[in-house]
Amino acid sequence: MNGRVLRIELRRSVAPWAGLVVLAPALAFLYLLNGAWWSGTTAWTAQWTPLALWTRSLLFYLWPLAVGLGALQGLRDHRSKMSELLTSTPRPARHRAATLAGATAITLASAFAFLVLVGGVQVLAHTEYTHLGWLPISLVGALFLVAGAVLGMGAGRALPSPLTPPALAMGAFVFTVLMYTSLGRTETDTADGVTSTEPNRVSLLSPTVEEVREAFVTLSASVHVGQTLWLLGMAGTGFALLVAVTPRARLTALAPVLAGAAIALLVLPADPRRMYVVDEAAAELVCDGPVCVTKTQRARLADLAGPGKEALRLLHGALGDQAPVSVRENTAVLPEGSTPKWSRKTVLLDFDDDIVAAAKGKELTRALIAKGMVPGCTPVGWSGFGGDEYAQTVAVGWVLGDLKPLGGTPTSMRREVEAETRPVWKELKALPRAGQLSRINSMRAAALSCEGDPFEVLSGGASR
């Protein structure tokens, strides 16, 4: 396949349109819709690994499009009634197939690369942490588009019907949906008995990925290898169907995709904790005295160090030897629905936590005191507002001597927080110092163990 032939193929085929059809909806989705990909430390323009994962998640919609467009390309010779003429020429069929597949592969890969480039330029402006660990995620994403298009071309050539492209696109979409919901999920129970679902090995045959929850969580090497083998088999079947002329040859052409799927399932990990793993280099801690953050967030250390040290000083003054002695970004990755794990001696913070994300300077000190006193026991991946937030407000008020809602408290909830916490704070302050400290320590015990309601303990109730 020389350059001249390729340029002609690009002009006379739908390949350039395939690239545009993939790129335009992807950019529109990212820029016109306000979703999780725009917020916090896992925004698609915040860090390299979230960029790669969020753009991969778009394949939920883009991959079926690539398969359908490939099938449309595969119908070209049939629509122009040139099939018999082309088979009579001395040029080998594999040369024509390579030109056809190559043109579409180049445009699709270029469109996906441009999408990643758009986000990458913004990531460079937002983070000091650069690495290449994200690259395999994006390369496999581009390979998904190429392999899907080539498979669609082969299917379009083997089944030359106007219904083939829409049927294949819909079939590919149904496949991704099933992999993301029922067939690709395994029901499980957390240690607390909460029913949840986790991805299984079969789900990794899908082009999409799980929602990004942590900036330092990535796909494991075995996932990249297994998916690459699966995609090479898929592309091999598509190419074989492009050159096949007999029913027997078309049946034989299915062997690569079946073999690729079988080998991939042997390579792909079965344990969800081996699918999505912590990037140890990204999660490595960078410290300023007792205040530490991961490498991904080291640009925030300068702003966090002062408030963090001040929070530790105030907590020690209020709690004595029971106070935490360090502040550290939380790097624990727990299954969705599980109960968080907290430390008595370390204030663990998440930059995406509402009260931390909304705070700067003195307000950040208040937020860190709140996390040190009542870290919060909402199950991982869930959201809520209630007893933990009330207890945080009272606890910070007790340490600092003034009661007011924490930053990040929803405006609609501020009046309710004031009404719930003010009587409890007054009752607590009316106790002798020893009584106050006893109740605060009981509250912390309930809050750190996630057994009982810390606000009920502050209100004078018993810890369950």
Side-chain angles (χ1 to χ4, degrees):
M1 182 175 63
N2 58 46
R4 178 173 174 273
V5 173
L6 181 60
R7 286 194 298 272
I8 293 173
E9 184 66 31
L10 287 170
R11 287 199 303 267
R12 66 192 289 264
S13 71
V14 300
W17 292 103
L20 183 62
V21 167
V22 165
L23 179 61
L27 289 174
F29 187 93
L30 289 171
Y31 279 99
L32 299 181
L33 297 179
N34 186 20
W37 51 89
W38 273 118
S39 61
T41 60
T42 57
W44 81 291
T45 58
Q47 300 286 341
W48 289 104
T49 300
L51 163 68
L53 290 172
W54 279 122
T55 49
R56 267 288 295 274
S57 69
L58 294 177
L59 296 187
F60 189 96
Y61 309 101
L62 301 182
W63 187 68
L65 279 176
V67 173
L69 289 167
L72 184 64
Q73 180 81 313
L75 290 177
R76 186 183 63 185
D77 294 345
H78 176 75
R79 292 198 310 268
S80 58
K81 298 181 171 55
M82 294 178 58
S83 300
E84 293 183 5
L85 175 62
L86 291 173
T87 54
S88 66
T89 61
R91 189 184 181 195
R94 64 179 180 276
H95 289 182
R96 297 194 304 273
T99 302
L100 182 68
T104 301
I106 289 173
T107 57
L108 287 175
S110 298
F112 192 74
F114 185 79
L115 176 66
V116 174
L117 179 63
V118 170
V121 170
Q122 298 174 80
V123 171
L124 282 173
H126 290 153
T127 183
E128 297 178 1
Y129 179 64
T130 58
H131 62 105
L132 295 178
W134 61 274
L135 195 55
I137 303 173
S138 294
L139 290 176
V140 172
L143 186 56
F144 257 109
L145 289 175
V146 171
V150 174
L151 180 65
M153 290 179 205
R157 179 70 60 85
L159 302 170
S161 165
L163 298 178
T164 299
L168 280 178
M170 183 56 66
F173 181 71
V174 169
F175 173 79
T176 58
V177 170
L178 291 176
M179 291 299 101
Y180 196 70
T181 54
S182 55
L183 294 181
R185 310 289 297 186
T186 300
E187 189 172 284
T188 183
D189 289 331
T190 66
D192 307 305
V194 178
T195 300
S196 184
T197 62
E198 294 180 335
N200 58 34
R201 179 189 282 124
V202 177
S203 71
L204 297 174
L205 299 179
S206 166
T208 192
V209 294
E210 295 287 293
E211 184 173 321
V212 187
R213 287 201 292 141
E214 302 290 350
F216 44 79
V217 172
T218 186
L219 291 170
S220 65
S222 57
V223 172
H224 300 319
V225 173
Q227 290 183 334
T228 299
L229 292 171
W230 154 241
L231 294 173
L232 290 176
M234 186 188 300
T237 288
F239 192 81
L241 287 173
L242 275 175
V243 301
V245 293
T246 66
R248 183 175 181 179
R250 289 170 182 150
L251 188 61
T252 305
L254 298 177
V257 71
L258 296 177
I263 296 173
L265 289 174
L266 294 176
V267 174
L268 293 170
D271 186 350
R273 283 164 287 281
R274 292 179 54 226
M275 299 175 190
Y276 294 87
V277 297
V278 174
D279 182 341
E280 298 294 342
E284 183 180 339
L285 294 178
V286 180
C287 299
D288 181 345
V291 181
C292 301
V293 298
T294 63
K295 275 190 175 180
T296 61
Q297 303 300 329
R298 63 187 176 191
R300 300 189 181 209
L301 182 58
D303 293 332
L304 179 68
K309 294 173 184 177
E310 177 66 8
L312 292 175
R313 185 187 68 80
L314 291 168
L315 285 168
H316 184 269
L319 299 174
D321 294 339
Q322 298 297 314
V325 295
S326 63
V327 175
R328 179 167 61 83
E329 184 180 353
N330 193 0
T331 56
V333 178
L334 301 174
E336 185 171 358
S338 59
T339 300
K341 308 295 183 184
W342 304 116
S343 166
R344 181 176 292 275
K345 289 299 182 181
T346 302
V347 179
L348 297 174
L349 78 144
D350 183 344
F351 285 108
D352 289 331
D353 187 281
D354 289 341
I355 65 170
V356 175
K360 291 182 180 180
K362 292 183 178 180
E363 281 301 317
L364 183 54
T365 299
R366 293 179 66 92
L368 294 174
I369 292 172
K371 300 303 292 184
M373 297 291 279
V374 185
C377 291
T378 301
V380 175
W382 296 18
S383 61
F385 193 95
D388 284 343
E389 288 72 23
Y390 298 153
Q392 285 177 339
T393 303
V394 174
V396 173
W398 178 78
V399 172
L400 298 179
D402 65 326
L403 183 74
K404 64 178 183 179
L406 293 165
T409 302
T411 304
S412 59
M413 298 295 297
R414 287 178 176 265
R415 184 173 296 177
E416 180 178 333
V417 170
E418 172 71 18
E420 292 286 340
T421 59
R422 180 69 63 177
V424 175
W425 182 70
K426 288 182 177 180
E427 179 185 339
L428 179 66
K429 295 292 286 183
L431 295 174
R433 175 65 184 179
Q436 295 178 29
L437 193 57
S438 174
R439 191 171 290 189
I440 287 291
N441 285 334
S442 297
M443 177 214 68
R444 286 194 75 217
L448 293 168
S449 65
C450 291
E451 296 178 0
D453 186 339
F455 187 61
E456 182 181 331
V457 175
L458 274 181
S459 302
S463 175
R464 294 192 297 271

